[in-house]
Amino acid sequence: MTALRPVQRIEARQFVLDHHRHHGWVSGFLWLHGLAGEGGALVGIAVVGRPVARALQDGLTMEVTRLCTDGEPNGCSMLYGAARRAAIAKGYRRGLTYILASETGASLRAAGWRLLWRVPGRSWDTPSRPRTDKHPTEDKHAYGWGDWPTTERIAA
């Protein structure tokens, strides 16, 4: 039976490095959720932090910055749901995460999250600051829960 379980940073980091399809470990986080499968083995991880976008760092918004499983059925939905419940219990008013446009978002919708906005894909490489992209540059979708201002107010 799959169940939530506490997880330490070192174990979470290794799981993300081993199982996340297109990102590595994060530089910081607020809390972690682990998901245990048969025998208590780690089968999923959610990393929750402040929003990456500075404009959204209001102290009331959380962001799931990494989430992955080893393919455990319904594991992603369980982790997104747990992140939302914990955030509400801690006093957060809203949450968000970004997924690739090629992903369905089914696990997010199952956990009560909704599509907020679309983000055009882009590269961090510019003539003034050359970089090698280490992430997918395709379009992304922002999903969230809670009380969100209109997108006009977010852009202001």
Side-chain angles (χ1 to χ4, degrees), residues 39-116:
L42 189 63
V43 296
I45 189 75
V47 180
V48 181
R50 295 185 346 240
V52 174
R54 278 187 240 154
L56 300 176
Q57 292 180 9
D58 59 3
L60 299 173
T61 306
M62 58 75 94
E63 180 175 338
V64 175
T65 56
R66 295 290 184 277
L67 188 134
C68 61
T69 70
D70 65 358
E72 182 69 27
N74 304 314
C76 292
S77 296
M78 290 180 71
L79 289 165
Y80 281 125
R84 179 182 178 176
R85 290 188 305 275
I88 290 168
K90 292 172 181 284
Y92 287 90
R93 303 290 190 271
R94 65 196 139 266
L96 84 154
T97 195
Y98 296 89
I99 64 170
L100 299 176
S102 59
E103 297 173 313
T104 68
S107 58
L108 286 154
R109 291 189 305 276
W113 297 53
R114 68 184 188 280
L115 178 64
L116 297 173

